[in-house]
Amino acid sequence: GQQLNQSPQSMFIQEGEDVSMNCTSSSIFNTWLWYKQDPGEGPVLLIALYKAGELTSNGRLTAQFGITRKDSFLNISASIPSDVGIYFCAGQLLFDTGNQFYFGTGTSLTVIP
Amino acid sequence: NAGVTQTPKFQVLKTGQSMTLQCAQDMNHNSMYWYRQDPGMGLRLIYYSASEGTTDKGEVPNGYNVSRLNKREFSLRLESAAPSQTSVYFCASSVEGRINQPQHFGDGTRLSIL
């Protein structure tokens, strides 16, 4: 299957600090997605990126679709305690038989008040 | 809005028992997916159904079967459960086709095989 390398694996930051995480792949993707997962729940979509070079914001979150289509990053500004969770990147490929999604291994974020 | 609903939320099985995990979505999505999530490994695709009447294997299909019952429902069956199948299982759905649309996930089924 496709390999997505997500880094860092975990982060411990002070409330108010900015956060940056990224995802790289050896494959080219049609779409890049960023999800957040809270304990005991399913992943929730944060941002979807559809074009190479696209920069999209959702509140304090900003994500970019890399020019090469092989990478993406997610930034969180002025972190707050409710940002705690696991963040996953995902790349989407379109096939004649349908869509397939490939996920990174996640970045665990801890925000210290 | 229910979105994607999975049942049950928790289940404990003995090795060799069979079980079906249920998933239903009310967003009129064409595509549905089953993933398993294990510590440190992210989400891995088991099976997916691009549209009603079709199913295809994902990355880790061994030991599982699926049924796309209708457009709304996509079930995952373990015929003879093994301890290696202890995991959290997520169902997801998305709009299919050439339009790049993201997935929406259920809250998961936590399955333990003893």
Side-chain angles (χ1 to χ4, degrees), chain A:
Chain A
Q2 305 293 337
Q3 282 284 93
L4 292 187
N5 301 307
Q6 188 171 347
S7 64
Q9 283 190 329
S10 60
M11 302 181 73
F12 293 81
I13 62 168
Q14 292 288 139
E15 182 177 358
E17 288 184 352
D18 296 342
V19 173
S20 184
M21 59 191 78
N22 68 79
C23 217
T24 62
S25 172
S26 58
S27 301
I28 293 174
F29 287 103
N30 300 104
T31 303
W32 280 94
L33 308 162
W34 285 92
Y35 289 86
K36 181 184 180 222
Q37 185 177 26
D38 292 324
E41 298 183 12
V44 174
L45 181 68
L46 298 173
I47 292 179
L49 301 158
Y50 298 104
K51 292 192 301 187
E54 179 180 352
L55 184 71
T56 297
S57 293
N58 178 8
R60 293 178 296 106
L61 278 61
T62 301
Q64 185 159 30
F65 193 144
I67 292 292
T68 65
R69 294 169 62 192
K70 293 183 178 181
D71 62 320
S72 178
F73 72 74
L74 174 71
N75 288 342
I76 305 173
S77 62
S79 59
I80 59 178
S82 62
D83 290 334
V84 166
I86 301 178
Y87 292 79
F88 289 98
C89 63
Q92 181 191 36
L93 290 177
L94 301 178
F95 298 97
D96 289 340
T97 53
N99 303 331
Q100 282 217 30
F101 296 81
Y102 302 90
F103 285 80
T105 52
T107 296
S108 175
L109 178 64
T110 301
V111 179
I112 304 165

